[in-house]
Every structure is written in structure tokens, then in C-alpha cells.
Amino acid sequence: VSAPRSAKGKTAYYAGVAAEEAVARAYSRRGHRLIAKRWRGSSGEIDLIFGSGPARIFVEVKKSKSFATAALRVGAQQQGRIFAAAEEFLAKEPLGLLTESRFDVALVNASGEIEVLENALATG
């Protein structure tokens, strides 16, 4: 994925990349193993994928001025794309769709603080 051309677009792009890096470090400190950054399937992209033993953790990172504003940025359509992309990813795992997994949303505010909402996205 290449950076946008406009100055405003570049700022948002690099702020998002920095937020993803901070979240990746936070998960790594918790003992999770980073498997992929910005994993792209034919259905969409997943910001971060971690392994926790045999389980997989799919993380959507949202950055905004506040945690509340960031949380509002995960709409139903985007959730559908995340689930579809995760299905593609899991299809290549040894246990396929039977692989234990969860979907987290990591919120990053303007101060760079991180709030992780575990199991924030429900598949059913």
C-alpha cells in the first residue's frame, strides 16, 4: 500500500501506520506473536494478526482524537470485510475455520494512548 499524494492524506496515512506500530508493540509486550501487518485478501485488509498459542487474534486499529470517535469508525460494512478476510486467512491455517480466533478493536487517541476492546466484533 503506497502513501496518498495529498498532504492531508499523507498525514492521516502515516498517523495510521504509527498507531498500528504502537498497537503491535503493545500486543507483543503481552506475549502475542505478530503474524502479519496489513494482511490483504481478496475480500479486504486486516490491520494486524497475532498468534496466541494456536489461537489467532485479528485486530482492527482505529485512530482519532478520542477513543469514542475512533470506536465509531468501525461500521457494519467494514466488519463484514474484516470477517471475510479473516475467513480467507483461516482457510490456510492447519485447522482452517476451526482455528480459535477473536476479533479485537484497538483504539488510539490523540495522545497516543491505546485502549483494546477484546472480542469487540462478534461473528454471529
Side-chain angles (χ1 to χ4, degrees), residues 38-46 84-85 88-89 92:
R38 295 192 173 205
W39 186 87
R40 181 168 289 284
S42 62
S43 306
E45 182 180 278
I46 298 174
E88 282 183 69
F89 180 87
K92 296 176 183 169

Side-chain angles (χ1 to χ4, degrees), residues 20-82:
E20 288 173 6
E21 291 293 330
V23 169
R25 287 190 302 274
Y27 272 81
S28 294
R29 282 192 300 272
R30 293 180 179 181
H32 301 301
R33 180 177 48 89
L34 181 64
I35 294 173
K37 287 183 188 179
R38 295 192 173 205
W39 186 87
R40 181 168 289 284
S42 62
S43 306
E45 182 180 278
I46 298 174
D47 292 335
L48 301 167
I49 303 172
F50 291 91
S52 182
R56 298 296 171 253
I57 305 169
F58 299 95
V59 182
E60 178 64 19
V61 178
K62 289 297 180 189
K63 179 172 181 6
S64 192
K65 291 179 182 180
S66 69
F67 292 137
T69 306
L72 293 173
R73 293 188 172 173
V74 185
Q77 191 173 25
Q78 182 177 27
Q79 289 180 44
R81 286 193 301 269
I82 292 167

